[in-house]
Amino acid sequence: ISFEVFPPKNKDGDISSIYYTIDELSKLNPDFISVTYGAGGSTKGKTVEIASTIKNKYQIESVAHLTCISSTKQEILETCQQLKDNHIENILALRGDYPKDPLFNKEDLEFHYAKELNEFITQKFPNNFCLSGACYPEVHQEAACFEDDLKSLKAKVDAGAEYLITQIFFDNNYYYRLVKEARKIGIGVPIIAGIMPITNSKSLLRTAKMCGTSIPYELSTMIENYYHYPDAMKEIGINYATH
């Protein structure tokens, strides 16, 4: 069991509030805590600091998210060197979302896929990092079909991903299908289920839309019935995630 934390976003760049969260999570003895990466945003650069504290102060394995879509090879080199210097051994290698900047040029990129990031890190830092990758039980939104998505996943694993963490899902059958079909094509690495207890109706609907995650009828009905009752919705979110 692991937890994922997000560098706090605020105008002053103060991230001290995250350490109260880590204090509480550490009491549950997680196997690791991962830290998301705010590529190009106000939280960029905080990932290493937080991951280092988790590893070196709390003595809990930390996994640093690292996205590459808007990064140069030099920037990735520098971040990986910082991670290495802070004794962080685990990287969740991600392509990341395209920036919303209308001037962002998709053609002029040094990285296009997480597979390329894996290959680059493995080449530049052999034997220094354990790489992992993301996978999508309900198919990546840019993939033509489930089979194509699996082929891309296989390429990611072949490029160095030693385990996978899924995007969130609300129907276990999608996860079971992913694991079953992945094994058929030779993906043998662990596939960890990504479970997110969404405790607010608006955020649940927004997250589902953003991630391309379907909402089962049972959960949809509960959202409709308790949309205006935040305390009840919080309990529903926790119970559904546990289930």
Side-chain angles (χ1 to χ4, degrees):
I1 292 192
S2 68
F3 301 115
E4 178 178 283
V5 296
F6 305 77
K9 292 182 180 179
N10 56 54
K11 294 178 182 178
D12 302 323
D14 178 16
I15 62 169
S16 58
S17 62
I18 193 67
Y19 296 120
Y20 169 76
T21 301
I22 296 170
D23 268 334
E24 294 299 303
L25 294 177
S26 66
K27 296 172 186 176
L28 299 168
N29 298 315
D31 291 293
F32 63 88
I33 297 177
S34 65
V35 188
T36 63
Y37 185 74
S42 60
T43 61
K44 186 177 182 180
K46 304 297 184 184
T47 300
V48 175
E49 180 183 338
I50 296 169
S52 177
T53 300
I54 292 168
K55 176 72 184 281
N56 299 307
K57 177 182 175 182
Y58 290 91
Q59 303 297 306
I60 296 171
E61 281 299 328
S62 59
V63 177
H65 290 213
L66 183 59
T67 65
C68 64
I69 194 66
S70 59
S71 298
T72 64
K73 291 182 177 179
Q74 184 58 38
E75 287 172 336
I76 295 296
L77 273 176
E78 290 172 1
T79 300
C80 286
Q81 187 60 53
Q82 290 173 2
L83 292 170
K84 181 183 174 184
D85 292 344
N86 283 276
H87 312 294
I88 297 163
E89 301 168 306
N90 303 289
I91 294 175
L92 178 57
L94 305 162
R95 186 199 74 174
D97 298 323
Y98 287 110
K100 294 178 182 177
D101 183 354
L103 300 178
F104 181 75
N105 184 0
K106 292 184 180 181
E107 306 302 320
D108 185 27
L109 300 173
E110 294 191 28
F111 295 97
H112 299 85
Y113 303 103
K115 178 190 80 167
E116 297 170 352
L117 178 59
N118 287 353
E119 291 169 342
F120 183 74
I121 295 173
T122 301
Q123 177 192 1
K124 297 296 183 181
F125 295 89
N127 306 314
N128 285 126
F129 296 110
C130 171
L131 302 178
S132 53
C135 56
Y136 300 81
E138 296 183 61
V139 186
H140 193 286
Q141 289 160 296
E142 295 173 25
C145 61
F146 183 56
E147 288 72 20
D148 284 359
D149 201 22
L150 275 179
K151 289 177 184 175
S152 297
L153 187 61
K154 178 73 161 56
K156 193 186 297 186
V157 171
D158 291 343
E162 297 184 47
Y163 65 96
L164 302 167
I165 301 177
T166 76
Q167 178 61 277
I168 65 167
F169 55 90
F170 298 111
D171 182 342
N172 291 351
N173 289 313
Y174 285 114
Y175 172 74
Y176 300 142
R177 178 186 69 161
L178 172 66
V179 175
K180 177 182 170 186
E181 298 302 322
R183 299 295 180 243
K184 282 183 182 178
I185 65 165
I187 298 174
V189 301
I191 301 175
I192 300 173
I195 299 173
M196 189 171 183
I198 299 181
T199 56
N200 173 286
S201 299
K202 288 182 180 178
S203 67
L204 192 154
L205 297 171
R206 184 175 64 247
T207 302
K209 183 179 180 181
M210 181 177 70
C211 301
T213 305
S214 59
I215 301 176
Y217 176 76
E218 179 187 9
L219 181 57
S220 175
T221 301
M222 287 191 283
I223 294 171
E224 288 178 13
N225 289 339
Y226 296 99
Y227 190 86
H228 298 293
Y229 300 92
D231 289 343
M233 197 58 227
K234 182 176 182 179
E235 189 173 336
I236 287 167
I238 292 170
N239 288 340
Y240 196 90
T242 305
H243 169 71

